[in-house]
Amino acid sequence: MDESDIYARLTEIFEDVFDDDSITATPALSAKDVDGWDSLTHIRLILTVEKAFKVKFSTSEIGKMETVGDLVTLIKARV
């Protein structure tokens, strides 16, 4: 799976989790850019990503993520 495939899949996940078809997963996208991206939605997002990519992230990895680019880096390291 290459990086563009990961971003495409993440875009689908973001659209579903945030119920917003206008969201596009980009490397610089962060919680401050998306309405409704609070701590509970973040947990739902991470669980959905883990299930979709069949990966698990540690609590410290999740805490260090600041952008979607950080998330993609972690996914790429595991798939």
Side-chain angles (χ1 to χ4, degrees):
M1 179 175 282
D2 67 19
E3 195 168 302
S4 64
D5 294 332
I6 294 171
Y7 278 105
R9 183 67 182 114
L10 285 176
T11 294
E12 294 172 359
I13 291 169
F14 274 71
E15 289 173 351
D16 180 53
V17 168
F18 294 101
D19 195 28
D20 182 348
D21 292 341
S22 68
I23 297 175
T24 301
T26 62
L29 186 69
S30 68
K32 66 179 174 32
D33 302 318
V34 180
D35 287 338
W37 190 340
D38 56 21
S39 58
L40 291 177
T41 310
H42 187 73
I43 292 168
R44 183 172 170 229
L45 175 67
I46 294 300
L47 292 174
T48 304
V49 168
E50 287 180 332
K51 184 176 179 180
F53 289 95
K54 298 180 174 45
V55 296
K56 283 284 187 190
F57 303 117
S58 70
T59 304
S60 66
E61 288 173 327
I62 294 169
K64 292 177 184 173
M65 287 183 210
E66 294 184 9
T67 65
V68 172
D70 296 337
L71 178 59
V72 170
T73 299
L74 286 174
I75 293 170
K76 279 177 56 179
R78 299 218 164 93
V79 293

